[in-house]
Amino acid sequence: MTIYKQNKFKTRTLARTVRDKGTNFETISEISILSWDVLENGISISEIKSKLEQIKQRKIYSNSQLYFWAPFASVALCILFDGDWIQALIVYISTFTGFYARRTLILKNYNHLLSFFIASTISTLIIHFIGLFFHIQVEQALIVSILYLIPGVVMINSFIDYLEGYFESGTARFIFSSMAILMIAFGFFTSNMIFKMPLVNSFSLFDLSNLQIQAKAAYSPTGFPLHVSKLVFGGITSLGFALIFNTSKRALWTVFLLGAVGYFINYLLFREFEVNLILSIFVASTFVGISGMYFAHRTHTPPIIFMIPAVINMIPGLISYKFMMGMIDWISNDKGQRPSVEEVIETFSFGITTLFILFALAFGIAFPIIVFNSYTVKGKDLNVLIKKLFKKD
């Protein structure tokens, strides 16, 4: 925490280690409202402590609600990535189990990085097993199987910290998110190695491949229905992640709207108008960022609470999956053969593209926050800015 004096020339920074229990946007939102109550009404220290205790005890979603609804984020992502409904069902089962395992470990104060590894391993093991047992294709399911674990909040906040000059906290967050991604990848690698074993790889009892082909053919929208599906599933993905982050109920409709429109903008630019993918994602995330600033004032909620769930549906799942599989193939090559130059270039191009897309997402969100928000959203309402820009002489 950095405290500024009124002249802003003298500061005092305090650092303290706190036990992390995961991201809770409801707590962030309520503390933001409390801070305004302190500033505008000058409430006493005892009142502040009482309200903080109430915020600490508040629980907006039951465990059963979280475990049931949160996996729909991965289901919607699977459909967005052209998966069929059989894979979507598999993704629901794997996400439900992995999310339950990770949340249980976190609530019991186990190491966060360990929880990332265990949840990643469990989710991918389930998908591998079902795909092998029923002899069906599960590539799209694997692509989205671990996206619910990606520490998007930490990564984006790290980027914002760097842009605002808070290098110490930005570096700490960057290192943690990098370690978390490494543990997620290691869990994916472990599962992949288990199912490459000859004894396990030959284990198949049922053949549902024809049923999967029929399911794929039954859901192949084109034209207007396709565009509607992209809007709806883009919004559902954001809603699912909003639940994972314990977002306030009053903000859910905004998260759905921004997630749906943001993803649709990205889809139109990249698929319909053939704009570069990184530029498409930057434009879409910037729209989410600017719109988030507007709705933040309307719902009295910090803008980051809308923005992060709304852009997670644009995470480069397929590209990062190809990068990860390329690296796994290098490591697990038991024949001692070196990868070709083409394979090396292709794998690293996927990795670099993934990195630039993440930067585009983060910068698209961070840019409006830095430009329009010097202290708070109330301090720079977009309505006021618009009136100043377009006021007639």
Side-chain angles (χ1 to χ4, degrees):
M1 177 181 292
T2 301
I3 301 174
Y4 293 87
K5 286 193 173 183
Q6 288 185 351
N7 57 20
K8 298 188 69 176
F9 291 109
K10 292 185 178 180
T11 63
R12 182 177 178 86
T13 301
L14 306 174
R16 179 184 175 187
T17 301
V18 295
R19 189 178 293 278
D20 192 359
K21 290 185 177 293
T23 304
N24 193 321
F25 280 169
E26 169 68 7
T27 300
I28 296 172
S29 177
E30 291 301 316
I31 290 178
S32 174
I33 294 173
L34 175 59
S35 69
W36 272 102
D37 199 10
V38 172
L39 181 64
E40 295 177 343
N41 302 320
I43 62 176
S44 65
I45 297 296
S46 60
E47 290 178 289
I48 294 173
K49 289 182 177 179
S50 175
K51 290 189 176 183
L52 282 174
E53 190 61 31
Q54 293 175 13
I55 292 172
K56 183 179 178 181
Q57 300 299 328
R58 182 172 299 178
K59 191 175 183 179
I60 57 174
Y61 304 111
S62 66
N63 289 334
S64 58
Q65 287 176 322
L66 284 176
Y67 294 139
F68 179 78
W69 291 109
F72 280 102
S74 297
V75 171
L77 270 178
C78 184
I79 301 300
L80 288 175
F81 290 170
D82 299 324
D84 54 74
W85 285 103
I86 292 179
Q87 291 189 74
L89 176 61
I90 298 171
V91 165
Y92 182 91
I93 296 170
S94 68
T95 302
F96 176 91
T97 310
F99 179 61
Y100 176 83
R102 179 176 178 267
R103 191 163 184 269
T104 301
L105 291 171
I106 290 175
L107 292 176
K108 291 184 177 181
N109 296 323
Y110 281 86
N111 182 275
H112 265 235
L113 297 179
L114 176 64
S115 70
F116 278 111
F117 168 73
I118 292 176
S120 174
T121 305
I122 289 174
S123 293
T124 49
L125 275 174
I126 290 173
I127 294 176
H128 273 123
F129 176 78
I130 295 177
L132 187 61
F133 190 81
F134 293 103
H135 194 67
I136 55 178
Q137 192 268 335
V138 291
E139 183 180 22
Q140 280 75 23
L142 285 172
I143 290 172
V144 303
S145 63
I146 55 177
L147 292 184
Y148 74 96
L149 294 170
I150 298 297
V153 177
V154 182
M155 294 171 62
I156 292 173
N157 280 334
S158 171
F159 191 79
I160 293 174
D161 284 342
Y162 279 128
L163 288 178
E164 293 187 335
Y166 303 119
F167 296 106
E168 184 181 74
S169 59
T171 302
R173 284 171 169 160
F174 176 77
I175 293 173
F176 175 80
S177 59
S178 300
M179 291 297 296
I181 292 173
L182 182 63
M183 297 305 290
I184 294 170
F186 186 53
F188 195 100
F189 171 78
T190 302
S191 172
N192 196 70
M193 290 301 96
I194 291 173
F195 278 87
K196 276 192 173 184
M197 297 169 60
L199 179 63
V200 178
N201 197 28
S202 60
F203 184 72
S204 179
L205 294 182
F206 300 96
D207 189 348
L208 299 183
S209 56
N210 289 330
L211 178 62
Q212 186 178 38
I213 294 173
Q214 294 173 10
K216 184 72 174 179
Y219 180 77
S220 299
T222 57
F224 181 74
L226 176 62
H227 292 165
V228 172
S229 70
K230 297 299 181 182
L231 273 169
V232 172
F233 286 116
I236 292 174
T237 301
S238 297
L239 270 184
F241 281 105
L243 290 175
I244 292 175
F245 300 147
N246 285 291
T247 302
S248 176
K249 290 181 179 179
R250 69 176 181 275
L252 291 181
W253 70 271
T254 307
V255 171
F256 179 87
L257 178 64
L258 294 182
V261 178
Y263 182 85
F264 188 64
I265 290 174
N266 172 46
Y267 174 79
L268 281 182
L269 290 176
F270 179 62
R271 295 291 179 88
E272 302 293 337
F273 298 105
E274 298 182 350
V275 178
N276 178 271
L277 177 59
I278 297 174
L279 179 59
S280 301
I281 289 178
F282 173 72
V283 171
S285 61
T286 302
F287 164 81
V288 171
I290 295 175
S291 302
M293 295 293 295
Y294 176 83
F295 285 110
H297 184 72
R298 289 288 167 265
T299 58
H300 307 291
T301 305
I304 203 74
I305 291 175
F306 305 127
M307 298 175 185
I308 293 179
V311 300
I312 285 184
N313 54 25
M314 290 182 273
I315 285 178
L318 178 60
I319 297 174
S320 57
Y321 172 79
K322 290 181 177 179
F323 171 68
M324 191 182 302
M325 290 305 299
M327 297 297 292
I328 289 175
D329 287 341
W330 294 359
I331 298 172
S332 60
N333 187 359
D334 55 358
K335 297 180 181 179
Q337 297 178 349
R338 295 182 179 180
S340 65
V341 176
E342 290 78 9
E343 290 175 341
V344 173
I345 294 175
E346 184 180 46
T347 299
F348 274 103
S349 68
F350 288 139
I352 293 171
T353 302
T354 299
L355 185 62
F356 272 96
I357 289 175
L358 293 175
F359 278 142
L361 280 174
F363 190 72
I365 291 176
F367 179 74
I369 292 177
I370 295 171
V371 171
F372 297 122
N373 190 26
S374 60
Y375 296 103
T376 62
V377 175
K378 291 184 179 180
K380 285 205 172 183
D381 185 4
L382 284 184
N383 283 328
V384 176
L385 181 64
I386 291 171
K387 288 179 181 178
K388 288 181 178 179
L389 290 176
F390 297 98
K391 184 178 180 181
K392 294 182 179 180
D393 295 331

